[in-house]
Amino acid sequence: MKYLDEYRDSSLARPLVEALKTSVTKPLRIMEVCGSHTMAIFRNGIRSILPRGMELISGPGCPVCVTSSAHMDAFISMADEPGVRLAIFGDLFRVPGSNGSLAEASSRGAKVNIVYSPMDGLEIARKNPDEHVVFLGVGFETTTPTIAATILAAKNQQITNFTVFSTQKTMLPPMRALLDDPNLKIDGLICPGHVSSIIGSSVWEPLADEYGLACVVGGFETADLLKSLILLARQVGEGRPRVENVYPRAVSPEGNLRARQMVEEIFEPADMEWRGLGILPGSGLKIRDKYCEFDAESRFDIRLQAVEEPKGCKCGEILKGICSPRECPLFDSRCTPANPIGPCMVSSEGTCAAYYKYGRE
């Protein structure tokens, strides 16, 4: 508990709050990219102590929220296949597609197991040789190495009834797409800590150089977040954007090289559809042909169908940072955690879920 106690110490936070007040010398808008940051900022009450002139907006850093409706429909269709059992992370269970959810599929007899790691899915496959287990690979660079390790384990153990449906995504392409959008006005980024622990802090340098954007890699405790905001405000005030790292206990400039090598062995870049952003070239990761026997999309010949988003739902605009949940006509009326219309209300890292839990007026 050493690290948590240190970074949650209120005596450490108080001077940081005072420092933040004096650091903001001009109006500035900061985007927190990661859904875990969004939740941590709300949970720790940081929005309530922001100095005048500083505004926080949420970005596209929740993997469940940016999963397209077309992919959700494909997941649900797979769940209904005879002899198929899905292994999924829990956040995905209640996300609506155009015709129901995996929870509803499960209630009508589909086999859907909630797991805590891809390896759990592999173990289910090993124990159920008469079924085909498909792990739904929904995530960013943080989860990709564990999926790569699981595919390697499946190959080494010669488990042939296990595949992965990869919708893995990488963070730099969507950030470039957002920054190229003239509707988005931001001065700085709190760069995602978990993702950066894999890809390294140096990968954000092109955003600082090319877009003149202040960037700070942040952790998830109160002190981490306050330090991040202070440094961002100072960068903007000085007019000297760059990348700084206040999460060195987890993030190095080069990232986790072993994990990156394993991902490179199993995956290759691919075009990927993002909810709210459309298809972004090279923003996804597909399984290389060398490991195609573990690629569910290939083995089951999955074809995605065009799907319209729910009428009135603003999840797409919210993920792009150009709309807040309170501006969605469905928020806290037709769309609630008990009856979600869009994924941002379902996921534990979803912006709408954060506003509903901590920021309702």
Side-chain angles (χ1 to χ4, degrees):
M1 296 296 289
K2 179 182 175 185
Y3 284 130
L4 291 183
D5 288 343
E6 287 176 349
Y7 287 86
R8 291 175 179 174
D9 187 344
S10 60
S11 66
L12 183 63
R14 288 193 193 98
L16 291 173
V17 172
E18 294 305 314
L20 179 61
K21 291 178 182 175
T22 59
S23 298
V24 178
T25 56
K26 59 174 66 174
L28 73 167
R29 301 183 83 212
I30 303 297
M31 172 180 278
E32 81 272 3
V33 177
C34 173
S36 294
H37 276 148
T38 300
M39 277 293 182
I41 287 167
F42 269 109
R43 185 170 58 248
N44 292 310
I46 290 176
R47 283 179 178 271
S48 65
I49 54 88
L50 290 178
R52 180 174 295 180
M54 175 174 267
E55 181 184 0
L56 288 181
I57 59 174
S58 303
C62 166
V64 170
C65 299
V66 294
T67 299
S68 70
S69 293
H71 277 113
M72 284 308 308
D73 281 1
F75 296 161
I76 295 163
S77 179
M78 286 209 72
D80 288 329
E81 287 284 334
V84 169
R85 181 184 294 273
L86 298 189
I88 68 168
F89 290 138
D91 273 11
L92 211 56
F93 195 53
R94 295 177 56 245
V95 175
S98 65
N99 186 27
S101 64
L102 288 170
E104 293 172 29
S106 179
S107 69
R108 59 177 178 261
K111 296 176 179 177
V112 181
N113 285 56
I114 293 175
V115 297
Y116 293 100
S117 81
M119 287 291 186
D120 292 340
L122 184 61
E123 181 63 13
I124 292 169
R126 192 182 65 78
K127 291 179 177 177
N128 296 275
D130 295 333
E131 296 177 342
H132 189 98
V133 176
V134 180
F135 176 76
L136 302 184
V138 174
F140 298 130
E141 291 95 332
T142 318
T143 55
T144 313
T146 61
I147 297 174
T150 304
I151 290 174
L152 286 173
K155 189 173 185 65
N156 291 336
Q157 297 172 29
Q158 299 182 338
I159 297 177
T160 59
N161 64 323
F162 175 81
T163 53
V164 172
F165 189 164
S166 175
T167 65
Q168 293 298 117
K169 297 178 176 66
T170 55
M171 283 306 305
L172 276 179
M175 293 314 302
R176 284 186 176 279
L178 289 179
L179 293 170
D180 286 335
D181 186 342
N183 292 317
L184 180 68
K185 309 290 186 186
I186 58 173
D187 302 290
L189 290 180
I190 301 178
C191 300
H194 294 146
V195 164
S196 299
S197 70
I198 302 298
I199 64 177
S201 59
S202 62
V203 300
W204 304 105
E205 289 174 359
L207 301 188
D209 296 339
E210 296 172 25
Y211 295 92
L213 194 69
C215 296
V216 174
V217 177
F220 299 88
E221 302 303 329
T222 305
D224 292 318
L225 293 163
L226 290 172
K227 286 180 182 175
S228 299
L229 294 174
I230 291 167
L231 293 181
L232 287 166
R234 288 175 179 171
Q235 284 190 36
V236 173
E238 295 165 359
R240 199 160 66 90
R242 58 195 181 276
V243 176
E244 294 183 278
N245 178 16
V246 298
Y247 198 30
R249 62 189 187 278
V251 176
S252 64
E254 70 277 5
N256 186 326
L257 295 179
R258 174 71 185 105
R260 292 171 63 182
Q261 289 169 355
M262 194 159 50
V263 170
E264 176 70 17
E265 168 66 19
I266 302 295
F267 292 98
E268 62 182 339
D271 298 347
M272 184 62 67
E273 183 173 359
W274 295 62
R275 188 183 295 256
L277 299 174
I279 296 176
L280 300 180
S283 66
L285 292 171
K286 62 175 288 189
I287 297 171
R288 292 185 183 277
D289 289 345
K290 181 179 176 182
Y291 296 94
C292 63
E293 69 265 37
F294 302 106
D295 184 352
E297 205 166 356
S298 173
R299 281 185 61 166
F300 289 89
D301 192 24
I302 296 167
R303 307 293 175 91
L304 298 180
Q305 305 295 320
V307 179
E308 290 188 4
E309 298 296 331
K311 190 174 181 180
C313 177
K314 297 284 189 183
C315 276
E317 288 90 338
I318 291 166
L319 291 166
K320 290 190 285 189
I322 58 177
C323 176
S324 84
R326 295 191 187 102
E327 295 173 274
C328 177
L330 308 184
F331 178 75
D332 200 13
S333 56
R334 285 179 54 204
C335 185
T336 65
N339 181 37
I341 304 297
C344 294
M345 184 60 86
V346 184
S347 172
S348 62
E349 296 184 352
T351 305
C352 294
Y355 270 77
Y356 188 91
K357 186 172 184 179
Y358 298 109
R360 295 165 72 191
E361 294 178 336

